[in-house]
Amino acid sequence: MQKELEDIVKAYLAAVEQGLQTALATVVHVEGSAYRQPGARMLITENGALTGAISGGCLEGDALRKAQLAMMQQKPMLVTYDTTDEDDAAVGVGLGCNGVIHILLEPLGPHLAMNPLTLLQQHAGRRDTTVMVTLFNLEQRSAPQPGTCILVTDGGERQVHLEDGPLRTAVLSDVCAAFSARRSAVKTYDNGREQITALIAWHPPALQLLIAGAGNDVQPLVKIAAILGWHTIVVDGRPAYAQRQRFPEATRVIAAKPVEVLQHLQPDDYTAAVLMTHNYNYDIALLTALLPHHLPYTGVLGPARKLQRMLQEMEDAGTVVSPEQQARIYGPVGLDIGADVPEEIALSIISEVKAVMAGAPGDSLRNNPSAIHQRARQQIIQKQL
């Protein structure tokens, strides 16, 4: 989803340069099943250009028409699509899903005090975790829709356009809870007169992938990671291989010794590493340097006995590898999908990184007896103010 936000911000800035009106469509609540979940966003320009997605393609046409109306009226609009209603199939909502999708359309403009895309632009290129709050009136769709009014970062920066009072206090408390839980939520606040619902959307930074090695087998890995919007850093001790023209999709390409790599990297909870230099000494030196940073994922290319040898030599050299640290090292790297050629191996590695970072088993979805998406994220929790 981080890539989607980055693409939306870029498209918005381009539209502003062209003098085009824009609106942001946000999936704010889902009842039942749907292709996209709360927090999915799409930018709509007055000339019909779309960036991002709020469905599998069936809602976009109608959302475009309604967004153009919202732009003309210059006020947010809440739209509901019921995929359980056969009549809605007439406008192309036949998804095969069985749910009700609520979408908020917010006209945008650089003049607005609280423009979510202007705020997100300020954090572009930074490894911030953000929580963005969008308020809407689910009970009365014709009532004024407050829209996006809060953006908070884990660095302590806050943009709050909500008057002082019980609602502001309650929402900010739930923003802190979203940071702690590392998940989004939808909550309703009741002041006795009306109910206001909030999409409290938690956005971690893009996954940062450190790839040690600049051989030809790394190229498909970088390309797939780029498609996913991951920020890739390719490092190698050979300047002739660590060349930007060899990896145009990479975020950075660095020629460096293992002890120098961390000078170019700020490891965090959303950083993964893959060691595939085909140079045993380089890999073990970099693994030793990365170990204290407790990366959630470090993959080592090669057979299991290679990793076992590396860990034993590290222990012999005085580097203590705890069971918790060893559990975060994956070797042989990748999921077992029968990969053979470099492109398939890259897919195997990317799939394992994604599964580990998402806390998912990496099994076939047909073997999962529960819902694909966590229903807890879709349930509205009510609070009395």
Side-chain angles (χ1 to χ4, degrees):
M1 189 172 289
Q2 185 63 30
K3 180 181 185 297
E4 186 172 68
L5 285 175
E6 292 176 356
D7 290 344
I8 286 173
V9 170
K10 291 178 183 176
Y12 169 72
L13 294 176
V16 170
E17 287 186 2
Q18 298 174 49
L20 297 174
Q21 292 191 68
T22 59
L24 183 66
T26 304
V27 178
V28 291
H29 182 49
V30 170
E31 303 167 45
S33 62
Y35 184 78
R36 298 300 307 272
Q37 299 304 300
R41 291 182 171 86
M42 178 176 73
L43 182 74
I44 303 168
T45 64
E46 61 177 299
N47 63 359
L50 306 176
T51 305
I54 53 173
S55 74
C58 52
L59 301 182
E60 278 69 3
D62 189 67
L64 167 61
R65 290 187 290 272
K66 289 183 169 63
Q68 290 171 331
L69 176 60
M71 291 180 217
M72 183 177 66
Q73 296 177 342
Q74 281 299 295
K75 64 179 184 179
M77 176 189 300
L78 185 65
V79 181
T80 298
Y81 297 97
D82 187 351
T83 64
T84 66
D85 187 347
E86 291 184 359
D87 291 339
D88 260 352
V91 295
V93 190
L95 283 172
C97 297
N98 187 32
V100 180
I101 307 161
H102 303 276
I103 296 171
L104 186 68
L105 302 169
E106 297 179 85
L108 301 174
H111 63 283
L112 296 177
M114 185 63 184
N115 184 327
L117 296 190
T118 300
L119 293 174
L120 287 172
Q121 178 201 357
Q122 297 172 5
H123 301 279
R126 293 162 49 177
R127 296 200 58 74
D128 291 332
T129 297
T130 64
V131 171
M132 191 157 61
V133 179
T134 302
L135 299 181
F136 54 100
N137 193 323
L138 196 59
E139 284 195 330
Q140 303 177 43
R141 286 189 295 168
S142 60
Q145 301 293 337
T148 302
C149 59
I150 295 176
L151 181 73
V152 180
T153 75
D154 57 354
E157 297 179 51
R158 301 201 317 178
Q159 294 279 350
V160 182
H161 292 262
L162 189 61
E163 63 182 19
D164 288 330
L167 178 60
R168 175 186 171 119
T169 301
V171 172
L172 288 177
S173 174
D174 288 329
V175 167
C176 293
F179 276 114
S180 299
R182 296 189 174 193
R183 60 186 297 176
S184 301
V186 180
K187 299 193 176 184
T188 289
Y189 307 89
D190 190 342
N191 63 9
R193 300 184 307 276
E194 64 175 350
Q195 292 185 348
I196 294 295
T197 305
L199 167 63
I200 304 171
W202 175 76
H203 299 296
L207 192 149
Q208 181 174 241
L209 180 63
L210 171 68
I211 307 173
N216 292 343
D217 57 344
V218 172
Q219 291 173 331
L221 186 63
V222 172
K223 290 179 180 178
I224 298 176
I227 291 173
L228 295 173
W230 296 1
H231 297 173
T232 55
I233 303 171
V234 177
V235 298
D236 198 295
R238 302 166 295 178
Y241 282 76
Q243 296 280 339
R244 162 59 64 181
Q245 59 266 33
R246 286 175 48 78
F247 304 96
E249 299 91 351
T251 307
R252 283 186 289 164
V253 181
I254 302 165
K257 299 177 181 178
V259 294
E260 301 170 340
V261 170
L262 288 172
Q263 299 174 13
H264 305 276
L265 177 72
Q266 293 181 335
D268 55 30
D269 291 343
Y270 306 97
T271 300
V274 179
L275 311 183
M276 48 191 304
T277 64
H278 301 279
N279 181 324
Y280 180 86
N281 292 330
Y282 194 104
D283 284 352
I284 191 173
L286 185 52
L287 179 60
T288 303
L290 291 174
L291 200 64
H293 295 276
H294 302 280
L295 300 187
Y297 179 97
T298 300
V300 180
L301 185 69
R305 63 179 179 275
K306 173 188 174 182
L307 177 56
Q308 293 169 358
R309 176 187 168 192
M310 293 171 73
L311 294 173
Q312 185 59 56
E313 289 188 11
M314 290 166 64
E315 293 272 5
D316 294 343
T319 299
V320 178
V321 183
S322 69
E324 292 78 14
Q325 290 172 322
Q326 189 165 343
R328 298 182 179 192
I329 302 173
Y330 294 78
V333 67
L335 294 183
D336 185 3
I337 60 172
D340 185 19
V341 297
E343 292 78 8
E344 295 171 347
I345 294 171
L347 178 61
S348 167
I349 294 172
I350 289 287
S351 299
E352 183 177 55
V353 173
K354 171 58 182 173
V356 170
M357 299 299 282
D363 195 7
S364 295
L365 285 173
R366 72 174 186 177
N367 297 332
N368 182 4
S370 60
I372 296 174
H373 301 287
Q374 296 183 34
R375 297 299 180 203
R377 295 184 180 181
Q378 302 171 27
Q379 295 170 354
I380 292 182
I381 300 173
Q382 294 193 354
K383 285 191 169 185
Q384 192 74 35
L385 297 179

